[in-house]
Amino acid sequence: MSSLTSLEKRIFEDLFVMSSGYVLDYSNATFAELFRECVKVDIYNSKYDFNGDSKAKRLRAFWETQTDTLVGKVLKELLDVWSYGNPEPNAKEKNSYEKALKIVSRLLGKDVGDGNNEDV
């Protein structure tokens, strides 16, 4: 079980627009591919559908069942995709993104010290 707090989860939920049941613009196939490539996990395994079958619900189940390291790796990848799709974020989005990077750093056990998160 990851150590994500309720507030931290909300930051990611808002950035990834998960209230719709989707996660960013992923299809089922590309979402499965992300998890296979990033952490060698089958996100469509039945152990991730206890909250429901949408991508957002599966991601929440992943948060609830996996280690900080695995969750951190997936969230880092999702943040990279978000950043690519949002090259000029507004101030609120930028603030949330920076908070999210710090959360990922914590999950991965890396020091955010100077704010340079390129090696996260």
Side-chain angles (χ1 to χ4, degrees):
M1 176 178 195
S2 77
S3 63
L4 284 173
T5 67
S6 295
L7 178 58
E8 289 172 337
K9 290 174 187 175
R10 185 166 181 179
I11 290 167
F12 290 105
E13 294 218 14
D14 289 349
L15 271 175
F16 303 152
V17 195
M18 291 171 57
S19 63
S20 66
Y22 291 92
V23 176
L24 299 172
D25 62 352
Y26 280 93
S27 68
N28 288 353
T30 58
F31 198 61
E33 179 181 25
L34 166 86
F35 278 84
R36 271 193 318 272
E37 288 180 0
C38 186
V39 291
K40 301 193 181 359
V41 165
D42 177 7
I43 195 63
Y44 287 98
N45 183 299
S46 61
K47 72 180 182 179
Y48 300 112
D49 70 3
F50 60 86
N51 288 328
D53 195 40
S54 73
K55 285 174 277 301
K57 288 179 179 179
R58 285 182 178 276
L59 180 56
R60 291 181 194 112
F62 184 79
W63 292 344
E64 292 178 39
T65 59
Q66 294 300 322
T67 65
D68 281 352
T69 301
L70 288 180
V71 171
K73 287 178 180 180
V74 168
L75 290 175
K76 174 63 172 109
E77 192 70 25
L78 289 168
L79 283 175
D80 288 348
V81 170
W82 181 90
S83 180
Y84 175 79
N86 293 279
E88 295 182 29
N90 64 40
K92 181 180 185 259
E93 291 170 335
K94 186 176 180 186
N95 183 44
S96 293
Y97 176 76
E98 289 170 358
K99 287 179 182 178
L101 282 176
K102 289 179 182 177
I103 296 164
V104 166
S105 294
R106 178 183 64 77
L107 292 172
L108 295 175
K110 300 195 178 198
D111 183 21
V112 293
D114 64 2
N116 181 356
N117 293 307
E118 290 184 25
D119 63 338
V120 171

